[in-house]
Amino acid sequence: MGGAPSTPRGGGDDVSVAEYLITTFVGEKSFPLASDFWNKLLELPLSSRWPSDRVHQACELFAQSNGYTRHLAKLLIHLSWCLQELLQASDDDDQKGSIYKRAVNATYISSVFLKYLIENGKSDSLEELHLSLDDSEPVPHGFVMDQDIQNFVMHSVLSFIGSTEVSPNSYVLHQELLNFMIVAMSTQLLSGPSPGPSDANPFIDAAMAQEKSLVCLAVRRLLLNYISRTPPNAKDYMYSYGDSPGILERVGSAAATFVLLPLNYLVNNSGDGSKHPLAECSLHVLLILTNYHKPIMSDESLTDKSDDSAASESVSKGHVFSSGNTFSKALANARDVEFDRSDVDGNGYPGPHVRIPFASLFDTLGMCLADEGAVLLLYSLLQGNSDFKEYVLVRTDLDTMLMPILETLYNASKRTSSNQIYMMLIVLLILSQDSSFNSSIHKMILPSVPWYKEHLLHQTSLGSLMVIILIRTVQHNLSKLRDVYLQTTCLATLANMAPHAHHLSAYASQRLVSLFYMLSRKYNKLSELTGEKQQSIKISLAGEGDCVSEDLAAELQIFTDFLRLVLDILNAILTYALPRNPEIVYAVMHRQEVFQPFKNHPRFHELVENIYTVLDFFNSRMDSQRSDREWSVQKVLQFIINNCRSWRGEGMKMFTQLHFSYEQESHPEEFFIPYVWQLAFSRCGFSFNPDAINLFPVPQQVEKETEEVRGEEEVEEGKEKKVEELMEQRIVLDP
């Protein structure tokens, strides 16, 4: 009873021993928790390998036998015990190396077989996992039989991650545990994009149930892993424990060790290998955890006795509410190690909270913002963590964070993800809500912007560059994407910046006036088409052209709003910042004819009046000083600078200063949960059975040379449409 199988005798090599033990593990014989079999299985050399077809065959056999043997549950329990032993062992413990070895093996073997069961499960409740022990199972001393195994293992995993420093001896196990967490949480891929109360996510639900102090430790470690960006190094990360030479012979790119099983079974070998896999996995585990949403349905039974023919009728009223996310709250309440608000006002935050170096996090994000995961983390911090947002706003080197964002937006046409563009624009909108930000970016002068090719930008302010890139994004979108939400976000950010403009560059000023001209041409064209269509409908069959006419009218209204927004932006600069912006006055004077058609327009005349008040002021003074000599650009600009000193704003109509803010929609999880998993796929090299994924559309892998490209384009188009639907109406005009 409880005995272990006898291993091959005599000169059995590691491969034959490994194959025998794994074959026994996936077989029909059940070994109790206390059996010595588990020690033999977990003591296998870390350098062992198995061909992929044998791995797949083993997984199929395991899926058939696990319901009886409950070996997955038992392996997870042994994993938890190993992690607990490591937390209790001292550094000089001779057995610590052996425990590490067993923990790595337990983690990796669990990941492989758990992943197969999840992606090939047939029931909605994931009964195939069998995360419980049979009632007849002999219980070892000290083990509580009725505890949830998923809670037991997640508590142990998070405890080890949160309490153990990453070192040459622990790096591999940290990496494997992060891989395990991604596998365990991949149950989300089986559900649709709208989370429901009946969705089965046992491991991530168990993580959410952990105590606040443990959650804070785990979030802190994940952030520190991301900040430190420790690279894997096969030479440096060999285990120093134990007397077996070469206990770790290989460190892979996405998972540091592979026990018995090949790299391409657990991870997607076609993905780009990361130079910092621990940092990447830490980031994406954090994003998956902080964006998780568990709706809970409460039912109230109402009895309706109005119908005499029925004794009673039970009517269920469902109320859906969120169970809360402890990881999201921990990230939102993270504090700087160098500063605590309680130092100032004496109101510290109750209970444990995450303390990390904001300076290092800021610098790391600045280095990594070309990566979508970094942008999403920055968004999460700016949106949810007021302390980090305040820290960013008082930094004097905002170019560290803004330049990578602006460069990515500049190159947006080069297959940049539409989600990434949206998130970057929202980050800029959030920052532009602060007046100090809008002022400080104009005081930072950039010697050059080498990646900007259309025009030589020399000694340009960061604020002017931001205006240029936002306008360029609008113009590109008008000609290619035609995305209303993207346009609105860009223009809302420009509107927030406008009253604080300071020495806007000549090129930025010209681009702003050119944007008005471009939108006015589109508006005029739509006006003509709408008028013609209305005339044609009158003489055609009723209803035949109604649909087209409504589409044109809707598009005309959109461009009316855009045009008014640009006029509002120009008005704000001329009303509140004219003396500081002679170049904008020059640009308006140079292209004053573009405003003429709107001078008496019923929808725009009140906004154009202020522009003509400025034009009249400077034109009249220029006319009085005209002479036979020609006016060069420099002379006109100097004339404007001189007369700006006498500008008092007389005759200007004061409009309410526009201020737009970003508000997260009521169900953000419908966008963010699929998004973070797509990022995990692309950056962590994680693969999954595409037929089992319901969280987001997966292109069919048929005829890779042609169909894969076409499928990606279709998914991207569908994604853009979905993103626009989910993220629209998040920008609100503050009263």
Side-chain angles (χ1 to χ4, degrees), residues 341-624:
R341 185 170 291 175
S342 61
D343 298 337
V344 177
D345 55 25
N347 296 320
Y349 288 83
H353 55 261
V354 178
R355 294 182 66 88
I356 54 171
F358 278 4
S360 300
L361 180 57
F362 180 92
D363 292 339
T364 301
L365 287 170
M367 289 189 301
C368 302
L369 281 175
D371 174 64
E372 291 185 69
V375 178
L376 188 49
L377 177 59
L378 175 60
Y379 162 83
S380 300
L381 289 166
L382 292 177
Q383 172 66 14
N385 190 311
S386 58
D387 276 26
F388 185 78
K389 181 180 177 182
E390 289 176 14
Y391 175 83
V392 170
L393 292 172
V394 300
R395 288 280 296 225
T396 57
D397 58 344
L398 282 168
D399 56 320
T400 300
M401 187 166 286
L402 290 181
M403 289 299 282
I405 293 177
L406 297 177
E407 183 176 1
T408 302
L409 291 174
Y410 174 79
N411 294 310
S413 60
K414 300 176 182 177
R415 295 288 289 175
T416 303
S417 162
S418 59
N419 289 351
Q420 185 177 10
I421 297 172
Y422 280 114
M423 298 312 303
M424 287 184 164
L425 291 175
I426 291 172
V427 165
L428 296 181
L429 176 60
I430 292 172
L431 293 172
S432 74
Q433 293 168 201
D434 185 83
S435 58
S436 64
F437 168 84
N438 294 323
S439 299
S440 61
I441 57 175
H442 288 286
K443 298 174 184 177
M444 183 171 293
I445 304 301
L446 307 170
S448 63
V449 187
W451 45 262
Y452 195 92
K453 305 300 182 184
E454 286 84 347
H455 188 84
L456 179 62
L457 299 179
H458 181 65
Q459 294 297 315
T460 300
S461 71
L462 183 58
S464 291
L465 178 62
M466 189 166 160
V467 170
I468 291 166
I469 296 300
L470 287 171
I471 291 172
R472 189 179 184 275
T473 303
V474 171
Q475 291 174 330
H476 171 72
N477 183 62
L478 281 173
S479 60
K480 298 288 178 64
L481 302 177
R482 302 169 64 83
D483 186 327
V484 174
Y485 179 78
L486 187 148
Q487 304 288 75
T488 305
T489 309
C490 291
L491 294 176
T493 306
L494 287 169
N496 287 346
M497 295 170 61
H500 310 279
H502 188 88
H503 289 299
L504 205 61
S505 71
Y507 185 61
S509 302
Q510 293 164 17
R511 300 313 301 159
L512 187 55
V513 175
S514 295
L515 175 61
F516 174 82
Y517 178 60
M518 182 180 184
L519 289 169
S520 67
R521 289 180 60 188
K522 182 68 175 177
Y523 172 83
N524 290 331
K525 184 177 179 180
L526 285 170
S527 296
E528 293 174 6
L529 287 173
T530 304
E532 292 173 2
K533 182 58 63 176
Q534 288 174 345
Q535 290 297 322
S536 64
I537 291 174
K538 290 179 181 178
I539 60 175
S540 65
L541 293 175
E544 190 174 310
D546 287 356
C547 183
V548 178
S549 179
E550 289 176 5
D551 290 343
L552 280 173
E555 191 170 5
L556 178 62
Q557 183 58 50
I558 288 170
F559 276 88
T560 301
D561 295 339
F562 287 163
L563 208 52
R564 287 186 62 89
L565 255 179
V566 176
L567 286 172
D568 276 318
I569 293 165
L570 288 168
N571 261 279
I573 299 174
L574 296 175
T575 303
Y576 300 102
L578 185 146
R580 305 191 302 268
N581 293 281
E583 291 288 3
I584 198 74
V585 177
Y586 180 92
V588 170
M589 292 180 68
H590 183 65
R591 299 290 303 277
Q592 56 189 284
E593 73 280 357
V594 305
F595 301 100
Q596 182 63 40
F598 300 92
K599 190 173 184 179
N600 299 312
H601 196 290
R603 295 185 179 181
F604 305 105
H605 70 88
E606 79 280 4
L607 291 169
V608 178
E609 278 182 15
N610 277 350
I611 294 175
Y612 272 92
T613 299
V614 173
L615 286 172
D616 292 343
F617 176 86
F618 286 94
N619 283 336
S620 62
R621 281 159 177 73
M622 181 171 283
D623 290 341
S624 66

